[in-house]
Amino acid sequence: MKRMWVAGVVLAAVVMHLAAQVGMLVARPDWTLSSFRKFFPIDQLAYMSMVANASHGEFSNVEPFTETGANYYPHLYYTVLGAVSGLFGLHPATAWQLGGLTAQAVMVAVLALVLIRLSSRLVVGLLAPVPFILGTFSTFTDGNWFTGYASHAVAWGPFGALFTLNGESVSLCLGSIALLALAAVWLRPTGPRTRFFVTLLAAILIGSLANVQTYSFLAATYLATYIAAGWALTRARKRWWIASAVLLVLVPLAGPIVAGVAGQLPTLVFGLVPAAPGIIRLVFETRGRAAWFLAGAVVGAAPQVFLTVFGIATRDPFLVYRVASNKDLGVPLERGLLAGAAVVIPLILILVAGILHRRAFWISYPISAGTVWTLLAANDRWGANAEPYRLWIDSYLLVAVTTLVMSVVVIRTLWVERDLPRGAVRLRVPRGVVAGGAVFCVLVAGVSAADWVRFYGATDYHGLWSFTTISDKVHASLAEQTDATSDSLLATDPCISPFVVKINTALPIAYYHLGMAWPADRDPLEAYLQMQASGDFEAPIAQAADIGWILTEKTCSADWPSKFGDEVTLVSTQDYVDDAGAAQTAELWRLNRAAS
């Protein structure tokens, strides 16, 4: 019977979470499982191109639109999603939605189970959706559900990070699951064998995030490493703490030098150096067993790390551009503290409780989590320059999840005054004080959730994109009449989205996403895209970009037969009535001298 009650609470938590994250879309009459969210869509559509390729059996590590060059962007999840799409005959957009929502459902279910385990109270499991509706108080400071900073940097709550359902969203879910597994076996008595294997699997999972999405991997790795190091240091002599503090001061001083000499990747590793004394101490304490966890994380991350190191060593032009393009993306400290107050305040209260009760982990956890959050959000100031605002957002989600777990542990212990270790100070804190602190945290969290309420009703950010309109089907049908390859790309006119054609057909397309991956020969393609944007067409420029086919809409493009008759040949045409009831004509052209 108890298991049935647990299952019921977990299911209720998952339903509440999904209602909060997708309820505003499901209520729309045009929503389907294949609906794609127009939420900063250019990036998401570019990622979906990798899903489309894999769904058609293309697993090569190439730039996904042209299928040339190399793809250094972590894409394991997109490849797996595409393979599932192809295996079960799902449209890539359907697989995208099912994969993202499933990852969130599993994460919330695990969080609910861990909360029940650590609190011994069923009702506490219903708190699982809470971290994902926290906001940044932007409703009151900026009159919006997010806060904008310099350049394109923003700060928003975890719900904004999860809404995309992209690799970052899924990676954050997986990272949360790994951290929750560690909490489940280390914050309650657990058998040594179970603890060892769960910790090893969690370490491998955290390392594997490097193959899914970089920033969530960094946030999870930093958080797990610093928490483990801080926990070990609380039982070490003062000199270990001093060494860690000195190294922490060294990061902002020496980081820019490391970046100038060695580059971004070694600088990001350098940011972990302050945790080294604690990790070394932990390895000695566990007689080397902790080294297995480090090895597991390294093995999990190895494929993407080796690929990136190779690209950096060979001076891949995309990786050079990617690092140089990260400018003015930091989060100001005072704004970051205010935006994250819904979690910062519980961290402070946990620290105070730890000091009063001399509980080592209650002291080390908030210090470690706060250090990681600050370091990553300010990485542009110590040389790493790896989109600090996104690392602030990812850290917010992971710290919010783990802080909820720690808050439950602390409140439970203070409320019932048990589970205190031998030698701990048994300070009687009035239950009214404990309840008051908990209520205050709930109120702050509730106020911050005004951002989520605002976002829930922000229809401008809830647009849906269908890949199954009549136009989409006609364009795909014509495109599939080509023999487009990476040596003879298919181009589209300005009225036809290259994203939609790519996702529906997986054919090599004359397009690329500047911030994701570059084709083997970028400059000719860039010249063609600029020419296309101006509404012009010159065959030599198209030929230089390896374009052999052009898909057009008659009402959009120039009069191709009269203007470009000697340069193109009409291959096929299709008249149709679009979803709005307007008569349209789609045309497929072959570039006459594409092979010359």
Side-chain angles (χ1 to χ4, degrees), residues 434-588:
V434 177
V439 169
F440 179 66
C441 290
V442 170
L443 290 175
V444 173
V447 174
S448 82
D451 292 353
W452 167 78
V453 173
R454 195 180 191 97
F455 175 72
Y456 196 93
T459 55
D460 289 348
Y461 294 91
H462 301 158
L464 297 176
W465 195 319
S466 171
F467 296 95
T468 58
T469 66
I470 296 174
S471 299
D472 296 338
K473 294 175 181 178
V474 169
H475 297 156
S477 175
L478 288 177
E480 288 168 350
Q481 296 179 32
T482 73
D483 57 357
T485 67
S486 58
D487 295 324
S488 182
L489 303 174
L490 170 66
T492 62
D493 73 13
C495 291
I496 300 176
S497 168
F499 295 108
V500 175
V501 176
K502 177 66 183 183
I503 292 166
N504 278 336
T505 67
L507 291 169
I509 301 293
Y511 189 81
Y512 77 105
H513 184 50
L514 182 66
M516 185 178 71
W518 286 3
D521 199 1
R522 169 181 172 266
D523 290 343
L525 179 57
E526 180 64 28
Y528 171 79
L529 292 174
Q530 291 180 3
M531 176 187 71
Q532 178 203 55
S534 68
D536 200 3
F537 178 82
E538 295 181 26
I541 295 178
Q543 290 176 13
D546 295 323
I547 292 169
W549 308 85
I550 304 170
L551 186 61
T552 69
E553 276 289 348
K554 194 168 186 177
T555 57
C556 170
S557 304
D559 185 356
W560 286 74
S562 61
K563 190 171 183 180
F564 311 116
D566 295 335
E567 299 168 336
V568 296
T569 297
L570 181 64
V571 176
S572 183
T573 182
Q574 187 168 342
D575 298 323
Y576 67 97
V577 177
D578 64 20
D579 291 277
Q584 304 287 354
T585 300
E587 300 170 323
L588 177 66

Side-chain angles (χ1 to χ4, degrees), residues 106-149:
V106 172
M107 173 187 62
V108 173
V110 171
L111 176 54
L113 287 170
V114 171
L115 291 173
I116 293 171
R117 169 178 168 79
L118 297 179
S119 68
S120 300
R121 297 290 187 274
L122 279 172
V123 69
V124 176
L126 297 176
L127 296 175
V130 170
F132 313 109
I133 61 171
L134 298 178
T136 55
F137 301 93
S138 301
T139 295
F140 310 102
T141 60
D142 291 71
N144 207 335
W145 59 269
F146 64 89
T147 296
Y149 299 126

Side-chain angles (χ1 to χ4, degrees), residues 232-233 235-237 240 276-286:
L233 288 175
R235 300 185 310 282
R237 294 183 179 180
W240 291 88
I279 296 300
I280 293 171
R281 175 76 181 179
L282 193 60
V283 171
F284 281 123
E285 277 187 354
T286 59

Side-chain angles (χ1 to χ4, degrees), residues 44 79 157 181 187 191 226 289 356 362 415 450 456 550:
Q44 318 317 321
T79 301
L187 296 181
Y226 271 84
R289 281 183 300 172
L356 292 176
W362 295 8
W415 191 261
Y456 196 93
I550 304 170

Side-chain angles (χ1 to χ4, degrees), residues 231-380:
W231 179 60
L233 288 175
T234 56
R235 300 185 310 282
R237 294 183 179 180
K238 187 177 294 186
R239 63 174 179 267
W240 291 88
W241 272 101
I242 294 174
S244 188
V246 170
L247 291 173
L248 187 60
V249 173
L250 188 64
V251 168
L253 296 177
I257 299 174
V258 174
V261 174
Q264 186 184 65
L265 185 59
T267 307
L268 289 168
V269 176
F270 180 67
L272 290 167
V273 168
I279 296 300
I280 293 171
R281 175 76 181 179
L282 193 60
V283 171
F284 281 123
E285 277 187 354
T286 59
R287 298 180 180 180
R289 281 183 300 172
W292 283 93
F293 310 144
L294 294 173
V298 169
V299 169
Q304 183 63 37
V305 171
F306 286 153
L307 178 66
T308 304
V309 168
F310 173 79
I312 293 174
T314 56
R315 297 290 294 173
D316 179 82
F318 166 72
L319 291 178
V320 173
Y321 157 80
R322 189 78 170 116
V323 174
S325 66
N326 291 334
K327 295 180 180 179
D328 299 323
L329 299 178
V331 177
L333 178 60
E334 65 282 358
R335 297 294 297 275
L337 287 172
L338 173 61
V343 173
V344 171
I345 290 173
L347 286 175
I348 294 173
L349 294 180
I350 291 171
L351 177 61
V352 171
I355 294 172
L356 292 176
H357 278 267
R358 298 181 187 173
R359 292 295 298 268
F361 192 63
W362 295 8
I363 296 172
S364 66
Y365 167 76
I367 293 176
S368 301
T371 299
V372 166
W373 202 353
T374 303
L375 263 181
L376 293 178
N379 74 72
D380 56 327

Side-chain angles (χ1 to χ4, degrees), residues 117 181-196 198:
R117 169 178 168 79
L182 294 173
V185 298
W186 287 98
L187 296 181
R188 283 292 296 271
T190 307
R193 181 173 295 183
T194 300
R195 183 172 281 175
F196 176 83
V198 169

